[in-house]
PDB file of all heavy atoms in Angstrom:
ATOM      1  N   ILE A   1      58.910  20.336 169.740  1.00 91.00           N
ATOM      2  CA  ILE A   1      60.095  20.742 168.982  1.00 91.00           C
ATOM      3  C   ILE A   1      61.017  19.532 168.875  1.00 91.00           C
ATOM      4  O   ILE A   1      61.359  18.910 169.881  1.00 91.00           O
ATOM      5  CB  ILE A   1      60.820  21.902 169.707  1.00 91.00           C
ATOM      6  CG1 ILE A   1      59.919  23.144 169.790  1.00 91.00           C
ATOM      7  CG2 ILE A   1      62.145  22.229 169.040  1.00 91.00           C
ATOM      8  CD1 ILE A   1      59.524  23.759 168.473  1.00 91.00           C
ATOM      9  N   SER A   2      61.415  19.178 167.645  1.00 92.00           N
ATOM     10  CA  SER A   2      62.197  17.946 167.484  1.00 92.00           C
ATOM     11  C   SER A   2      63.556  18.154 166.811  1.00 92.00           C
ATOM     12  O   SER A   2      64.394  17.253 166.827  1.00 92.00           O
ATOM     13  CB  SER A   2      61.387  16.915 166.684  1.00 92.00           C
ATOM     14  OG  SER A   2      61.070  17.446 165.407  1.00 92.00           O
ATOM     15  N   ASN A   3      63.778  19.324 166.207  1.00 96.00           N
ATOM     16  CA  ASN A   3      65.021  19.508 165.441  1.00 96.00           C
ATOM     17  C   ASN A   3      66.082  20.322 166.162  1.00 96.00           C
ATOM     18  O   ASN A   3      67.170  20.540 165.619  1.00 96.00           O
ATOM     19  CB  ASN A   3      64.713  20.154 164.080  1.00 96.00           C
ATOM     20  CG  ASN A   3      64.135  19.143 163.108  1.00 96.00           C
ATOM     21  OD1 ASN A   3      63.913  18.002 163.472  1.00 96.00           O
ATOM     22  ND2 ASN A   3      63.876  19.552 161.897  1.00 96.00           N
ATOM     23  N   MET A   4      65.773  20.805 167.365  1.00 96.00           N
ATOM     24  CA  MET A   4      66.769  21.535 168.145  1.00 96.00           C
ATOM     25  C   MET A   4      67.664  20.528 168.855  1.00 96.00           C
ATOM     26  O   MET A   4      67.171  19.623 169.530  1.00 96.00           O
ATOM     27  CB  MET A   4      66.079  22.452 169.166  1.00 96.00           C
ATOM     28  CG  MET A   4      67.051  23.239 170.023  1.00 96.00           C
ATOM     29  SD  MET A   4      66.208  24.506 171.015  1.00 96.00           S
ATOM     30  CE  MET A   4      64.925  23.536 171.800  1.00 96.00           C
ATOM     31  N   ILE A   5      68.983  20.678 168.690  1.00 96.00           N
ATOM     32  CA  ILE A   5      69.907  19.748 169.329  1.00 96.00           C
ATOM     33  C   ILE A   5      70.607  20.439 170.503  1.00 96.00           C
ATOM     34  O   ILE A   5      70.862  21.636 170.456  1.00 96.00           O
ATOM     35  CB  ILE A   5      70.939  19.170 168.324  1.00 96.00           C
ATOM     36  CG1 ILE A   5      71.655  20.286 167.544  1.00 96.00           C
ATOM     37  CG2 ILE A   5      70.268  18.213 167.361  1.00 96.00           C
ATOM     38  CD1 ILE A   5      72.753  19.793 166.623  1.00 96.00           C
ATOM     39  N   GLU A   6      70.882  19.685 171.542  1.00 94.00           N
ATOM     40  CA  GLU A   6      71.572  20.155 172.739  1.00 94.00           C
ATOM     41  C   GLU A   6      70.739  21.183 173.503  1.00 94.00           C
ATOM     42  O   GLU A   6      69.702  21.642 173.052  1.00 94.00           O
ATOM     43  CB  GLU A   6      72.944  20.765 172.380  1.00 94.00           C
ATOM     44  CG  GLU A   6      74.140  19.917 172.758  1.00 94.00           C
ATOM     45  CD  GLU A   6      74.322  19.704 174.254  1.00 94.00           C
ATOM     46  OE1 GLU A   6      73.575  20.254 175.071  1.00 94.00           O
ATOM     47  OE2 GLU A   6      75.246  18.956 174.611  1.00 94.00           O
ATOM     48  N   ASP A   7      71.203  21.529 174.709  1.00 96.00           N
ATOM     49  CA  ASP A   7      70.639  22.632 175.462  1.00 96.00           C
ATOM     50  C   ASP A   7      71.057  23.942 174.811  1.00 96.00           C
ATOM     51  O   ASP A   7      72.075  24.001 174.105  1.00 96.00           O
ATOM     52  CB  ASP A   7      71.199  22.622 176.900  1.00 96.00           C
ATOM     53  CG  ASP A   7      70.335  21.788 177.849  1.00 96.00           C
ATOM     54  OD1 ASP A   7      69.112  21.664 177.585  1.00 96.00           O
ATOM     55  OD2 ASP A   7      70.871  21.277 178.841  1.00 96.00           O
ATOM     56  N   ILE A   8      70.300  25.001 175.089  1.00 97.00           N
ATOM     57  CA  ILE A   8      70.727  26.337 174.649  1.00 97.00           C
ATOM     58  C   ILE A   8      72.049  26.659 175.345  1.00 97.00           C
ATOM     59  O   ILE A   8      72.226  26.414 176.533  1.00 97.00           O
ATOM     60  CB  ILE A   8      69.649  27.384 174.996  1.00 97.00           C
ATOM     61  CG1 ILE A   8      68.408  27.143 174.127  1.00 97.00           C
ATOM     62  CG2 ILE A   8      70.183  28.797 174.786  1.00 97.00           C
ATOM     63  CD1 ILE A   8      67.271  28.115 174.365  1.00 97.00           C
ATOM     64  N   MET A   9      72.986  27.201 174.576  1.00 97.00           N
ATOM     65  CA  MET A   9      74.298  27.551 175.116  1.00 97.00           C
ATOM     66  C   MET A   9      74.456  29.067 175.131  1.00 97.00           C
ATOM     67  O   MET A   9      73.778  29.767 174.383  1.00 97.00           O
ATOM     68  CB  MET A   9      75.395  26.890 174.289  1.00 97.00           C
ATOM     69  CG  MET A   9      75.401  25.381 174.471  1.00 97.00           C
ATOM     70  SD  MET A   9      76.653  24.564 173.489  1.00 97.00           S
ATOM     71  CE  MET A   9      75.774  24.375 171.958  1.00 97.00           C
ATOM     72  N   GLU A  10      75.337  29.568 175.986  1.00 97.00           N
ATOM     73  CA  GLU A  10      75.516  31.013 176.064  1.00 97.00           C
ATOM     74  C   GLU A  10      76.939  31.413 175.691  1.00 97.00           C
ATOM     75  O   GLU A  10      77.880  30.641 175.847  1.00 97.00           O
ATOM     76  CB  GLU A  10      75.140  31.546 177.452  1.00 97.00           C
ATOM     77  CG  GLU A  10      75.988  31.062 178.583  1.00 97.00           C
ATOM     78  CD  GLU A  10      75.572  31.660 179.926  1.00 97.00           C
ATOM     79  OE1 GLU A  10      74.720  32.571 179.966  1.00 97.00           O
ATOM     80  OE2 GLU A  10      76.114  31.196 180.950  1.00 97.00           O
ATOM     81  N   LYS A  11      77.033  32.644 175.195  1.00 97.00           N
ATOM     82  CA  LYS A  11      78.332  33.207 174.815  1.00 97.00           C
ATOM     83  C   LYS A  11      78.269  34.707 175.048  1.00 97.00           C
ATOM     84  O   LYS A  11      77.232  35.331 174.788  1.00 97.00           O
ATOM     85  CB  LYS A  11      78.612  32.904 173.336  1.00 97.00           C
ATOM     86  CG  LYS A  11      80.003  33.321 172.886  1.00 97.00           C
ATOM     87  CD  LYS A  11      80.355  32.764 171.518  1.00 97.00           C
ATOM     88  CE  LYS A  11      81.806  33.089 171.186  1.00 97.00           C
ATOM     89  NZ  LYS A  11      82.205  32.552 169.890  1.00 97.00           N
ATOM     90  N   ASN A  12      79.352  35.284 175.510  1.00 96.00           N
ATOM     91  CA  ASN A  12      79.386  36.722 175.730  1.00 96.00           C
ATOM     92  C   ASN A  12      79.267  37.442 174.386  1.00 96.00           C
ATOM     93  O   ASN A  12      79.989  37.129 173.436  1.00 96.00           O
ATOM     94  CB  ASN A  12      80.699  37.108 176.421  1.00 96.00           C
ATOM     95  CG  ASN A  12      80.678  38.536 176.919  1.00 96.00           C
ATOM     96  OD1 ASN A  12      80.455  39.466 176.155  1.00 96.00           O
ATOM     97  ND2 ASN A  12      80.898  38.708 178.208  1.00 96.00           N
ATOM     98  N   SER A  13      78.351  38.403 174.311  1.00 96.00           N
ATOM     99  CA  SER A  13      78.108  39.104 173.043  1.00 96.00           C
ATOM    100  C   SER A  13      79.358  39.797 172.511  1.00 96.00           C
ATOM    101  O   SER A  13      79.519  39.953 171.296  1.00 96.00           O
ATOM    102  CB  SER A  13      76.987  40.132 173.211  1.00 96.00           C
ATOM    103  OG  SER A  13      77.316  41.072 174.218  1.00 96.00           O
ATOM    104  N   SER A  14      80.267  40.211 173.409  1.00 93.00           N
ATOM    105  CA  SER A  14      81.488  40.893 172.963  1.00 93.00           C
ATOM    106  C   SER A  14      82.388  39.958 172.167  1.00 93.00           C
ATOM    107  O   SER A  14      83.278  40.403 171.443  1.00 93.00           O
ATOM    108  CB  SER A  14      82.254  41.459 174.161  1.00 93.00           C
ATOM    109  OG  SER A  14      82.740  40.413 174.980  1.00 93.00           O
ATOM    110  N   GLU A  15      82.157  38.647 172.284  1.00 95.00           N
ATOM    111  CA  GLU A  15      82.981  37.659 171.586  1.00 95.00           C
ATOM    112  C   GLU A  15      82.260  37.019 170.402  1.00 95.00           C
ATOM    113  O   GLU A  15      82.725  36.022 169.856  1.00 95.00           O
ATOM    114  CB  GLU A  15      83.423  36.578 172.577  1.00 95.00           C
ATOM    115  CG  GLU A  15      84.316  37.130 173.685  1.00 95.00           C
ATOM    116  CD  GLU A  15      84.637  36.095 174.740  1.00 95.00           C
ATOM    117  OE1 GLU A  15      84.155  34.946 174.632  1.00 95.00           O
ATOM    118  OE2 GLU A  15      85.366  36.443 175.679  1.00 95.00           O
ATOM    119  N   SER A  16      81.114  37.583 170.013  1.00 97.00           N
ATOM    120  CA  SER A  16      80.353  36.979 168.918  1.00 97.00           C
ATOM    121  C   SER A  16      79.802  38.048 167.976  1.00 97.00           C
ATOM    122  O   SER A  16      78.925  38.824 168.351  1.00 97.00           O
ATOM    123  CB  SER A  16      79.185  36.151 169.465  1.00 97.00           C
ATOM    124  OG  SER A  16      78.344  35.735 168.401  1.00 97.00           O
ATOM    125  N   TYR A  17      80.316  38.081 166.755  1.00 98.00           N
ATOM    126  CA  TYR A  17      79.771  38.985 165.749  1.00 98.00           C
ATOM    127  C   TYR A  17      78.273  38.736 165.549  1.00 98.00           C
ATOM    128  O   TYR A  17      77.507  39.671 165.309  1.00 98.00           O
ATOM    129  CB  TYR A  17      80.464  38.773 164.402  1.00 98.00           C
ATOM    130  CG  TYR A  17      81.871  39.308 164.297  1.00 98.00           C
ATOM    131  CD1 TYR A  17      82.793  38.697 163.457  1.00 98.00           C
ATOM    132  CD2 TYR A  17      82.278  40.445 165.003  1.00 98.00           C
ATOM    133  CE1 TYR A  17      84.087  39.185 163.313  1.00 98.00           C
ATOM    134  CE2 TYR A  17      83.570  40.941 164.865  1.00 98.00           C
ATOM    135  CZ  TYR A  17      84.475  40.303 164.027  1.00 98.00           C
ATOM    136  OH  TYR A  17      85.748  40.790 163.883  1.00 98.00           O
ATOM    137  N   PHE A  18      77.870  37.462 165.625  1.00 98.00           N
ATOM    138  CA  PHE A  18      76.497  37.120 165.261  1.00 98.00           C
ATOM    139  C   PHE A  18      75.495  37.521 166.342  1.00 98.00           C
ATOM    140  O   PHE A  18      74.370  37.922 166.021  1.00 98.00           O
ATOM    141  CB  PHE A  18      76.411  35.641 164.898  1.00 98.00           C
ATOM    142  CG  PHE A  18      77.298  35.286 163.732  1.00 98.00           C
ATOM    143  CD1 PHE A  18      78.358  34.410 163.876  1.00 98.00           C
ATOM    144  CD2 PHE A  18      77.099  35.879 162.497  1.00 98.00           C
ATOM    145  CE1 PHE A  18      79.199  34.118 162.814  1.00 98.00           C
ATOM    146  CE2 PHE A  18      77.926  35.597 161.420  1.00 98.00           C
ATOM    147  CZ  PHE A  18      78.979  34.711 161.574  1.00 98.00           C
ATOM    148  N   ILE A  19      75.888  37.454 167.605  1.00 98.00           N
ATOM    149  CA  ILE A  19      75.022  37.988 168.662  1.00 98.00           C
ATOM    150  C   ILE A  19      74.926  39.504 168.513  1.00 98.00           C
ATOM    151  O   ILE A  19      73.861  40.099 168.710  1.00 98.00           O
ATOM    152  CB  ILE A  19      75.527  37.576 170.062  1.00 98.00           C
ATOM    153  CG1 ILE A  19      75.365  36.061 170.239  1.00 98.00           C
ATOM    154  CG2 ILE A  19      74.748  38.306 171.170  1.00 98.00           C
ATOM    155  CD1 ILE A  19      75.947  35.517 171.537  1.00 98.00           C
ATOM    156  N   GLN A  20      76.025  40.144 168.117  1.00 98.00           N
ATOM    157  CA  GLN A  20      76.000  41.595 167.892  1.00 98.00           C
ATOM    158  C   GLN A  20      75.085  41.961 166.713  1.00 98.00           C
ATOM    159  O   GLN A  20      74.425  42.998 166.737  1.00 98.00           O
ATOM    160  CB  GLN A  20      77.420  42.115 167.652  1.00 98.00           C
ATOM    161  CG  GLN A  20      78.295  42.064 168.896  1.00 98.00           C
ATOM    162  CD  GLN A  20      79.752  42.392 168.612  1.00 98.00           C
ATOM    163  OE1 GLN A  20      80.056  43.314 167.866  1.00 98.00           O
ATOM    164  NE2 GLN A  20      80.657  41.620 169.207  1.00 98.00           N
ATOM    165  N   ILE A  21      75.020  41.099 165.709  1.00 98.00           N
ATOM    166  CA  ILE A  21      74.085  41.336 164.600  1.00 98.00           C
ATOM    167  C   ILE A  21      72.645  41.218 165.097  1.00 98.00           C
ATOM    168  O   ILE A  21      71.787  42.034 164.732  1.00 98.00           O
ATOM    169  CB  ILE A  21      74.346  40.358 163.432  1.00 98.00           C
ATOM    170  CG1 ILE A  21      75.687  40.671 162.767  1.00 98.00           C
ATOM    171  CG2 ILE A  21      73.213  40.429 162.393  1.00 98.00           C
ATOM    172  CD1 ILE A  21      76.113  39.644 161.726  1.00 98.00           C
ATOM    173  N   CYS A  22      72.370  40.217 165.932  1.00 98.00           N
ATOM    174  CA  CYS A  22      71.030  40.099 166.526  1.00 98.00           C
ATOM    175  C   CYS A  22      70.669  41.368 167.294  1.00 98.00           C
ATOM    176  O   CYS A  22      69.551  41.878 167.197  1.00 98.00           O
ATOM    177  CB  CYS A  22      70.953  38.899 167.466  1.00 98.00           C
ATOM    178  SG  CYS A  22      70.967  37.298 166.654  1.00 98.00           S
ATOM    179  N   ASP A  23      71.624  41.872 168.068  1.00 98.00           N
ATOM    180  CA  ASP A  23      71.419  43.105 168.825  1.00 98.00           C
ATOM    181  C   ASP A  23      71.103  44.264 167.877  1.00 98.00           C
ATOM    182  O   ASP A  23      70.189  45.063 168.121  1.00 98.00           O
ATOM    183  CB  ASP A  23      72.677  43.410 169.646  1.00 98.00           C
ATOM    184  CG  ASP A  23      72.676  44.798 170.256  1.00 98.00           C
ATOM    185  OD1 ASP A  23      72.076  44.972 171.336  1.00 98.00           O
ATOM    186  OD2 ASP A  23      73.259  45.723 169.651  1.00 98.00           O
ATOM    187  N   PHE A  24      71.841  44.358 166.789  1.00 98.00           N
ATOM    188  CA  PHE A  24      71.667  45.414 165.783  1.00 98.00           C
ATOM    189  C   PHE A  24      70.260  45.361 165.180  1.00 98.00           C
ATOM    190  O   PHE A  24      69.527  46.356 165.161  1.00 98.00           O
ATOM    191  CB  PHE A  24      72.732  45.231 164.699  1.00 98.00           C
ATOM    192  CG  PHE A  24      72.684  46.216 163.568  1.00 98.00           C
ATOM    193  CD1 PHE A  24      73.448  47.372 163.614  1.00 98.00           C
ATOM    194  CD2 PHE A  24      71.901  45.982 162.444  1.00 98.00           C
ATOM    195  CE1 PHE A  24      73.428  48.288 162.566  1.00 98.00           C
ATOM    196  CE2 PHE A  24      71.867  46.892 161.398  1.00 98.00           C
ATOM    197  CZ  PHE A  24      72.630  48.048 161.454  1.00 98.00           C
ATOM    198  N   VAL A  25      69.880  44.191 164.686  1.00 98.00           N
ATOM    199  CA  VAL A  25      68.563  44.041 164.045  1.00 98.00           C
ATOM    200  C   VAL A  25      67.454  44.272 165.069  1.00 98.00           C
ATOM    201  O   VAL A  25      66.469  44.967 164.795  1.00 98.00           O
ATOM    202  CB  VAL A  25      68.430  42.649 163.388  1.00 98.00           C
ATOM    203  CG1 VAL A  25      67.018  42.440 162.848  1.00 98.00           C
ATOM    204  CG2 VAL A  25      69.462  42.482 162.273  1.00 98.00           C
ATOM    205  N   SER A  26      67.630  43.707 166.249  1.00 98.00           N
ATOM    206  CA  SER A  26      66.623  43.836 167.305  1.00 98.00           C
ATOM    207  C   SER A  26      66.363  45.299 167.648  1.00 98.00           C
ATOM    208  O   SER A  26      65.221  45.722 167.824  1.00 98.00           O
ATOM    209  CB  SER A  26      67.098  43.068 168.545  1.00 98.00           C
ATOM    210  OG  SER A  26      66.087  43.002 169.513  1.00 98.00           O
ATOM    211  N   PHE A  27      67.438  46.101 167.715  1.00 98.00           N
ATOM    212  CA  PHE A  27      67.262  47.507 168.067  1.00 98.00           C
ATOM    213  C   PHE A  27      66.548  48.265 166.954  1.00 98.00           C
ATOM    214  O   PHE A  27      65.697  49.121 167.222  1.00 98.00           O
ATOM    215  CB  PHE A  27      68.603  48.177 168.403  1.00 98.00           C
ATOM    216  CG  PHE A  27      68.428  49.525 169.041  1.00 98.00           C
ATOM    217  CD1 PHE A  27      67.895  49.637 170.321  1.00 98.00           C
ATOM    218  CD2 PHE A  27      68.765  50.690 168.364  1.00 98.00           C
ATOM    219  CE1 PHE A  27      67.696  50.888 170.908  1.00 98.00           C
ATOM    220  CE2 PHE A  27      68.582  51.937 168.943  1.00 98.00           C
ATOM    221  CZ  PHE A  27      68.042  52.040 170.223  1.00 98.00           C
ATOM    222  N   PHE A  28      66.836  47.935 165.697  1.00 98.00           N
ATOM    223  CA  PHE A  28      66.130  48.606 164.607  1.00 98.00           C
ATOM    224  C   PHE A  28      64.667  48.163 164.519  1.00 98.00           C
ATOM    225  O   PHE A  28      63.792  48.973 164.173  1.00 98.00           O
ATOM    226  CB  PHE A  28      66.871  48.424 163.278  1.00 98.00           C
ATOM    227  CG  PHE A  28      67.879  49.517 163.067  1.00 98.00           C
ATOM    228  CD1 PHE A  28      69.198  49.357 163.482  1.00 98.00           C
ATOM    229  CD2 PHE A  28      67.504  50.733 162.513  1.00 98.00           C
ATOM    230  CE1 PHE A  28      70.117  50.383 163.336  1.00 98.00           C
ATOM    231  CE2 PHE A  28      68.422  51.766 162.356  1.00 98.00           C
ATOM    232  CZ  PHE A  28      69.735  51.596 162.771  1.00 98.00           C
ATOM    233  N   VAL A  29      64.386  46.918 164.855  1.00 98.00           N
ATOM    234  CA  VAL A  29      62.991  46.473 164.930  1.00 98.00           C
ATOM    235  C   VAL A  29      62.265  47.235 166.042  1.00 98.00           C
ATOM    236  O   VAL A  29      61.117  47.653 165.884  1.00 98.00           O
ATOM    237  CB  VAL A  29      62.913  44.945 165.150  1.00 98.00           C
ATOM    238  CG1 VAL A  29      61.496  44.501 165.508  1.00 98.00           C
ATOM    239  CG2 VAL A  29      63.390  44.207 163.895  1.00 98.00           C
ATOM    240  N   HIS A  30      62.945  47.432 167.163  1.00 98.00           N
ATOM    241  CA  HIS A  30      62.397  48.227 168.274  1.00 98.00           C
ATOM    242  C   HIS A  30      62.056  49.644 167.792  1.00 98.00           C
ATOM    243  O   HIS A  30      60.963  50.156 168.063  1.00 98.00           O
ATOM    244  CB  HIS A  30      63.427  48.255 169.407  1.00 98.00           C
ATOM    245  CG  HIS A  30      63.371  49.444 170.308  1.00 98.00           C
ATOM    246  ND1 HIS A  30      62.363  49.649 171.224  1.00 98.00           N
ATOM    247  CD2 HIS A  30      64.218  50.510 170.428  1.00 98.00           C
ATOM    248  CE1 HIS A  30      62.586  50.795 171.867  1.00 98.00           C
ATOM    249  NE2 HIS A  30      63.698  51.325 171.406  1.00 98.00           N
ATOM    250  N   LEU A  31      62.973  50.279 167.055  1.00 98.00           N
ATOM    251  CA  LEU A  31      62.724  51.636 166.558  1.00 98.00           C
ATOM    252  C   LEU A  31      61.561  51.648 165.564  1.00 98.00           C
ATOM    253  O   LEU A  31      60.691  52.532 165.601  1.00 98.00           O
ATOM    254  CB  LEU A  31      63.984  52.199 165.895  1.00 98.00           C
ATOM    255  CG  LEU A  31      65.206  52.395 166.812  1.00 98.00           C
ATOM    256  CD1 LEU A  31      66.406  52.877 165.991  1.00 98.00           C
ATOM    257  CD2 LEU A  31      64.920  53.374 167.952  1.00 98.00           C
ATOM    258  N   TYR A  32      61.525  50.645 164.693  1.00 98.00           N
ATOM    259  CA  TYR A  32      60.431  50.545 163.713  1.00 98.00           C
ATOM    260  C   TYR A  32      59.091  50.357 164.421  1.00 98.00           C
ATOM    261  O   TYR A  32      58.088  50.989 164.056  1.00 98.00           O
ATOM    262  CB  TYR A  32      60.699  49.375 162.752  1.00 98.00           C
ATOM    263  CG  TYR A  32      59.588  49.163 161.754  1.00 98.00           C
ATOM    264  CD1 TYR A  32      59.514  49.934 160.594  1.00 98.00           C
ATOM    265  CD2 TYR A  32      58.600  48.216 161.993  1.00 98.00           C
ATOM    266  CE1 TYR A  32      58.477  49.749 159.689  1.00 98.00           C
ATOM    267  CE2 TYR A  32      57.560  48.028 161.090  1.00 98.00           C
ATOM    268  CZ  TYR A  32      57.498  48.801 159.946  1.00 98.00           C
ATOM    269  OH  TYR A  32      56.461  48.630 159.056  1.00 98.00           O
ATOM    270  N   PHE A  33      59.062  49.505 165.420  1.00 98.00           N
ATOM    271  CA  PHE A  33      57.836  49.255 166.195  1.00 98.00           C
ATOM    272  C   PHE A  33      57.339  50.556 166.830  1.00 98.00           C
ATOM    273  O   PHE A  33      56.135  50.860 166.808  1.00 98.00           O
ATOM    274  CB  PHE A  33      58.129  48.204 167.270  1.00 98.00           C
ATOM    275  CG  PHE A  33      56.942  47.844 168.129  1.00 98.00           C
ATOM    276  CD1 PHE A  33      55.912  47.049 167.630  1.00 98.00           C
ATOM    277  CD2 PHE A  33      56.850  48.280 169.439  1.00 98.00           C
ATOM    278  CE1 PHE A  33      54.821  46.713 168.415  1.00 98.00           C
ATOM    279  CE2 PHE A  33      55.765  47.939 170.240  1.00 98.00           C
ATOM    280  CZ  PHE A  33      54.747  47.159 169.725  1.00 98.00           C
ATOM    281  N   LYS A  34      58.266  51.335 167.363  1.00 97.00           N
ATOM    282  CA  LYS A  34      57.891  52.606 168.000  1.00 97.00           C
ATOM    283  C   LYS A  34      57.271  53.584 166.997  1.00 97.00           C
ATOM    284  O   LYS A  34      56.209  54.146 167.250  1.00 97.00           O
ATOM    285  CB  LYS A  34      59.115  53.261 168.653  1.00 97.00           C
ATOM    286  CG  LYS A  34      59.470  52.723 170.014  1.00 97.00           C
ATOM    287  CD  LYS A  34      60.648  53.456 170.626  1.00 97.00           C
ATOM    288  CE  LYS A  34      60.235  54.778 171.258  1.00 97.00           C
ATOM    289  NZ  LYS A  34      59.463  54.613 172.505  1.00 97.00           N
ATOM    290  N   ILE A  35      57.932  53.758 165.854  1.00 98.00           N
ATOM    291  CA  ILE A  35      57.485  54.811 164.937  1.00 98.00           C
ATOM    292  C   ILE A  35      56.323  54.385 164.043  1.00 98.00           C
ATOM    293  O   ILE A  35      55.455  55.196 163.725  1.00 98.00           O
ATOM    294  CB  ILE A  35      58.648  55.345 164.070  1.00 98.00           C
ATOM    295  CG1 ILE A  35      59.227  54.247 163.157  1.00 98.00           C
ATOM    296  CG2 ILE A  35      59.722  55.976 164.938  1.00 98.00           C
ATOM    297  CD1 ILE A  35      60.268  54.740 162.151  1.00 98.00           C
ATOM    298  N   GLU A  36      56.271  53.101 163.659  1.00 97.00           N
ATOM    299  CA  GLU A  36      55.256  52.671 162.700  1.00 97.00           C
ATOM    300  C   GLU A  36      54.030  52.046 163.356  1.00 97.00           C
ATOM    301  O   GLU A  36      52.921  52.236 162.871  1.00 97.00           O
ATOM    302  CB  GLU A  36      55.862  51.665 161.713  1.00 97.00           C
ATOM    303  CG  GLU A  36      56.680  52.305 160.622  1.00 97.00           C
ATOM    304  CD  GLU A  36      55.870  53.235 159.736  1.00 97.00           C
ATOM    305  OE1 GLU A  36      54.900  52.784 159.093  1.00 97.00           O
ATOM    306  OE2 GLU A  36      56.209  54.427 159.698  1.00 97.00           O
ATOM    307  N   ILE A  37      54.238  51.281 164.409  1.00 95.00           N
ATOM    308  CA  ILE A  37      53.112  50.580 165.026  1.00 95.00           C
ATOM    309  C   ILE A  37      52.570  51.376 166.214  1.00 95.00           C
ATOM    310  O   ILE A  37      51.369  51.548 166.357  1.00 95.00           O
ATOM    311  CB  ILE A  37      53.516  49.140 165.415  1.00 95.00           C
ATOM    312  CG1 ILE A  37      53.859  48.377 164.127  1.00 95.00           C
ATOM    313  CG2 ILE A  37      52.397  48.434 166.188  1.00 95.00           C
ATOM    314  CD1 ILE A  37      54.461  47.032 164.290  1.00 95.00           C
TER     315      ILE A  37
END
């Protein structure tokens, strides 16, 4: 991997709309996986 810069950084999900979006999509993918796959 050559294009990733810096170490992975962390942020509390309560302070990030975008981590909350990841949580949202991830949970719907989980539901889809359960019912379809």
Side-chain angles (χ1 to χ4, degrees):
I1 297 297
S2 60
N3 283 3
M4 180 170 52
I5 52 175
E6 253 295 356
D7 270 333
I8 291 180
M9 291 179 274
E10 64 179 352
K11 186 168 186 179
N12 191 303
S13 59
S14 66
E15 296 174 359
S16 171
Y17 286 150
F18 300 116
I19 292 175
Q20 291 172 43
I21 292 172
C22 289
D23 169 83
F24 179 93
V25 174
S26 188
F27 192 68
F28 271 92
V29 169
H30 153 72
L31 296 176
Y32 177 82
F33 181 74
K34 278 183 81 72
I35 63 173
E36 281 298 300
I37 296 171

